Amino acid sequence: MASAVCGVTARPHLPSAVPAAARKLFFRCRAASTMNEASASSPDAEEKKTTTVFVAGSTGRTGKRVVEKLLAKGFGVVAGTTDVSRARGSLPQDPNLKLVRADVTEGVDKLVEAVRGVDAVVCATGFRRSFDPFAPWKVDNFGTVNLVEACRKAGVTRFVLISSILVNGAAMGQLLNPAYIVLNLLGLTLVAKLQAENHIRKSGINYTIVRPGGLTDQPPTGNIVMEPEDTLYSGSISRSQVAEVAVEALLCPESSYKVVEIIARADAPNRPLKDMYTAIKQN
């Protein structure tokens, strides 16, 4: 058997009686074996792990765009949806996309199984208008809290929440802002979102909270403006840009433990999102 001295493997000794041709074949096979072992242990030979992201609200108008941008950047995506058949018809056909039934209003334990094994979660949920006055709280408050707690149980440590500007309108002196009044008429939606944000911030999870202005389905008409929390009280932004900001948060360490507010303006400079995240100083 070969012996190793000072990290160098000694050449094995063969009896002199072994024919020269056999000796040559032995060392050639041994060299090939050594190369194969080195290749197998090389980091380059290891399969690169795909980062997998769970998207809650994946069939919504913003969530769908989040899914598309994640796939375009090479992420694996687990799309949470209350209706798998509907999701299959509306989301891209992609080998890196997996559909799972997940309802944030049904409690923590079911969500644990949905998020188990993923690397991060993007929450793009939003209540649907109905005759239920508690719908905003069921989805935008309790639902988000359920998802956060499921992440804690499953060991998922990265969470991106898409919220809204003006959630803290009362503290900003915006009680009479028409947008604040209208949104809170629908079951105190902004108050529900703020309570969910507060839960995330106390959870210990590495979070990024993205607060967009009024959402539009049209293509972008301006460049993204990013400001610290409780700064913006008007303005709009394309859902596509919101999805871009949410996905970039997963790629940008400078986004960690931050709350950012975003709108789009035609006169704003076109700046890299990484630079914008870096410029935000969290309170």
Side-chain angles (χ1 to χ4, degrees):
M1 180 181 293
S3 60
V5 180
C6 297
V8 178
T9 303
R11 186 180 178 90
H13 175 72
L14 290 179
S16 57
V18 176
R23 292 167 64 88
K24 183 181 295 185
L25 178 62
F26 171 84
F27 286 115
R28 183 181 299 166
C29 291
R30 184 176 182 278
S33 175
T34 302
M35 290 177 64
N36 288 337
E37 291 173 2
S39 175
S41 62
S42 170
D44 294 336
E46 296 180 2
E47 183 178 353
K48 186 177 180 181
K49 183 179 182 298
T50 300
T51 300
T52 304
V53 182
F54 177 87
V55 179
S58 62
T59 57
R61 287 181 290 173
T62 302
K64 180 180 178 180
R65 289 167 170 83
V66 171
V67 170
E68 292 169 347
K69 290 188 180 296
L70 285 169
L71 292 172
K73 287 188 175 290
F75 286 91
V77 178
V78 177
T81 175
T82 58
D83 187 337
V84 173
S85 297
R86 176 170 170 258
R88 191 173 288 116
S90 62
L91 293 177
Q93 301 295 313
D94 192 293
N96 288 325
L97 175 64
K98 176 183 177 183
L99 305 179
V100 298
R101 189 186 181 284
D103 187 337
V104 295
T105 68
E106 291 183 350
V108 174
D109 292 339
K110 290 183 179 180
L111 289 172
V112 169
E113 296 308 313
V115 303
R116 193 183 301 280
V118 305
D119 302 292
V121 166
V122 176
C123 182
T125 55
F127 81 98
R128 294 177 182 174
R129 295 188 182 186
S130 69
F131 293 108
D132 184 356
F134 299 105
W137 286 83
K138 290 178 180 178
V139 176
D140 294 321
N141 183 359
F142 302 132
T144 302
V145 169
N146 287 340
L147 192 56
V148 171
E149 291 307 304
C151 287
R152 293 177 66 181
K153 284 192 172 185
V156 181
T157 59
R158 189 72 174 95
F159 197 101
V160 177
L161 172 68
I162 298 175
S163 183
S164 174
I165 64 170
L166 284 174
V167 293
N168 205 21
M172 296 169 63
Q174 294 296 314
L175 282 172
L176 299 180
N177 186 311
Y180 185 77
I181 294 172
V182 169
L183 288 172
N184 277 322
L185 282 176
L186 301 173
L188 296 177
T189 304
L190 294 179
V191 178
K193 288 179 179 291
L194 180 62
Q195 295 301 315
E197 286 189 14
N198 290 339
H199 184 84
I200 293 171
R201 295 170 79 157
K202 296 175 182 176
S203 68
I205 289 178
N206 180 353
Y207 67 85
T208 304
I209 297 172
V210 179
R211 295 176 176 174
L215 298 172
T216 69
D217 293 313
Q218 287 72 37
T221 57
N223 292 320
I224 297 170
V225 174
M226 183 182 291
E227 298 291 347
E229 62 179 315
D230 301 342
T231 301
L232 299 174
Y233 52 85
S234 64
S236 62
I237 187 167
S238 166
R239 292 180 189 272
S240 177
Q241 290 172 307
V242 176
E244 183 181 347
V245 172
V247 171
E248 184 64 26
L250 299 173
L251 300 168
C252 180
E254 291 80 5
S255 71
S256 295
Y257 301 102
K258 289 183 177 179
V259 181
V260 301
E261 299 187 342
I262 55 172
I263 58 173
R265 290 183 182 143
D267 60 348
N270 186 10
R271 299 172 58 204
L273 285 171
K274 180 180 179 181
D275 292 350
M276 287 193 261
Y277 271 123
T278 302
I280 298 295
K281 306 304 179 185
Q282 186 63 40
N283 295 332

